[in-house]
Amino acid sequence: MSLSLPKPPRQKMINLLYIVLTAMLALNVSAEILNAFKTVNKSIKQSNESIDQKNALIYEQFAKQMQQDPAKVGPLKAQAEQVKQQCEAVNVYIDSLKNLIITQSGGKDDSGQIKKMDDLDAAPRVMENQKNGPKLKARLEELRASLLNFYPPNQRTAESKSFPLTVEAPSNAGKKSWTVSTFDMVPTIAAVTILSKFQNDVKNAEAQIVDYLYGQINAQQFTLDTYKPLVSANSGYIMQGQQYQAQIMLGAYSATVNPTITVDGQSVQVQNGVGTFTTTGSGIGEHTYNVAVSLKDKTGAIKTFTTTGSYMVGAPSLSVSATKMNVLFIGLDNPVSIAESGVPSENLSASISQGSLAKVGNGEYVARVTTVGGADVNVSGTVGGKAMNFGAMKFRVMRVPDPVAEVGGSKGGRMQSAAFRVQEGVQAVLDNFYFDLKFPVTHFTIAFEGTGFDNYVQESSNSAYFTTTIKQLMQRCRPGTRVFIDDIRAKAPDGTTRNLPSIFFNLY
């Protein structure tokens, strides 16, 4: 069992926003930036709680595995406990630094919020003047080295390149020390966020190591605990005179162990744990064969596992399939594959009962249809110098569905006012369709009311983009503003104009 913890998109976004906000400190310390740091710190704390839950699950699994096999699991569980203790000690130390900085900046108010988020003296005083910065750096570097030592020596270099816990000065630090470049002239809320980010790195590093240790429970020995013969054939249906080939293997097998494989009592050549059975089709109908796979277990006893395989020998038959599905759409180039068993594609010809059918490659055609309902693809060809009609395949003919209007990837509902203000226009999106289609928006009407607007204000655009006037109105949007977008029109691939349903946003 593996409980690997890849970074989700939320975690990556938190990391990116943290870097952007840290860089912005060099430019300005506005209320917006302070609030942004407050938001990022909250997100990091939520991420830390999620990682703690995942780590707790792994430690629980260690306890369960310990009950089943103490001798094997005991040493690995002891190492996992060391990892937990080391990481917990560093996180507690970082918490003490956060509390010290908050206290020296003026503490918290009755609601638990930092009183002076913009205080620029507390962080340098605690981290530089009181020498806590070098101590923190040393503890983080010591923890990183200790955690990497849980990997075998031949893996440490590779693992260290992507290890979550790193202690590096910013690229623009120049000759400044790590402490100065990280905490000098940094407001209290930013320093707290930076320390929360270090805790996030520690927890991610802890998760990576304990997950690796847990994976070693079953990696320490060679086991085949589930046995199932597998038969993989190149085809279950062949024509007379064609060869039938199947690969036969034992599930959960090892490429270094070759089992004994027989088919209907005849030995099959085995290489890298896989046997290949080959025969020639004769006689129309289904043919079955018996497979036996024998292998020594850990005690040296031979165990045999049996199964059956089958293949079908048939006469030539028509095969026509729509590449996207058994539907043709009006106004689109619908790819269609046409093949007849035993007949070269160059000897085939095809036609369609409505629209047009054009050959574009070896057995590949493009169908264009015009009327909703149905269409028949008729196939004929030459076999042995004689013309033959192979029949027809019926297709449904449908209109391309209407797309749905979106703004910033949202189809309506609640949206942050700050996120709404930076949008550029309205998109028409057709989700989960078989073709990648574009529906350019040609017109829409947008209206605003609520916070920021004394009266109901309405504007229109004859394109997909917000006009200059609309963008000016958008800048007045605040939490509590309601936005209505209707009379949305989009141009379909067939040239028709689609009227799309209205969408509504409640900004917060």
Side-chain angles (χ1 to χ4, degrees), residues 320-323 328 333-339 344-351 356-368 377-380:
V320 180
S321 63
T323 303
L328 302 176
D333 288 339
N334 298 275
V336 178
S337 298
I338 299 177
S345 61
E346 58 268 21
N347 292 348
L348 295 176
S349 60
S351 62
S356 63
L357 185 67
K359 188 173 184 177
V360 294
N362 189 21
E364 303 296 328
Y365 296 77
V366 168
R368 292 191 65 85
V377 174
N378 302 285
V379 181
S380 58

Side-chain angles (χ1 to χ4, degrees), residues 176-358:
K176 295 180 182 178
S177 68
W178 177 84
T179 302
V180 172
S181 60
T182 305
F183 295 100
D184 187 48
M185 294 300 294
V186 171
T188 296
I189 184 60
V192 170
T193 302
I194 292 170
L195 292 173
S196 294
K197 179 61 172 60
F198 284 132
Q199 289 179 314
N200 184 262
D201 293 341
V202 170
K203 292 177 185 294
N204 273 308
E206 177 187 2
Q208 181 169 319
I209 297 300
V210 296
D211 185 59
Y212 164 77
L213 294 173
Y214 186 82
Q216 298 308 297
I217 294 175
N218 292 323
Q220 291 180 337
Q221 61 181 15
F222 174 79
T223 59
L224 289 175
D225 51 11
T226 302
Y227 301 92
K228 182 180 179 181
L230 303 176
V231 179
S232 176
N234 62 340
S235 175
Y237 187 89
I238 63 174
M239 306 299 299
Q240 293 190 68
Q242 289 184 312
Q243 272 196 338
Y244 172 81
Q245 188 178 77
Q247 290 185 321
I248 303 171
M249 68 198 78
L250 183 66
Y253 74 99
S254 170
T256 62
V257 178
N258 285 331
T260 300
I261 300 176
T262 62
V263 175
D264 290 334
Q266 300 296 315
S267 296
V268 173
Q269 183 178 0
V270 181
Q271 185 175 6
N272 296 328
V274 178
T276 301
F277 167 58
T278 303
T279 189
T280 300
S282 61
I284 296 174
E286 184 177 13
H287 296 257
T288 61
Y289 53 91
N290 299 310
V291 178
V293 182
S294 300
L295 184 70
K296 289 183 179 180
D297 63 14
K298 293 181 180 180
T299 66
I302 296 178
K303 291 187 176 181
T304 300
F305 307 88
T306 60
T307 189
T308 59
S310 65
Y311 59 93
M312 182 71 70
V313 179
S317 61
L318 175 65
S319 173
V320 180
S321 63
T323 303
K324 294 295 181 181
M325 63 177 292
N326 197 27
V327 175
L328 302 176
F329 291 97
I330 296 174
L332 302 184
D333 288 339
N334 298 275
V336 178
S337 298
I338 299 177
E340 170 62 38
S341 298
V343 181
S345 61
E346 58 268 21
N347 292 348
L348 295 176
S349 60
S351 62
I352 193 168
S353 59
Q354 66 151 298
S356 63
L357 185 67

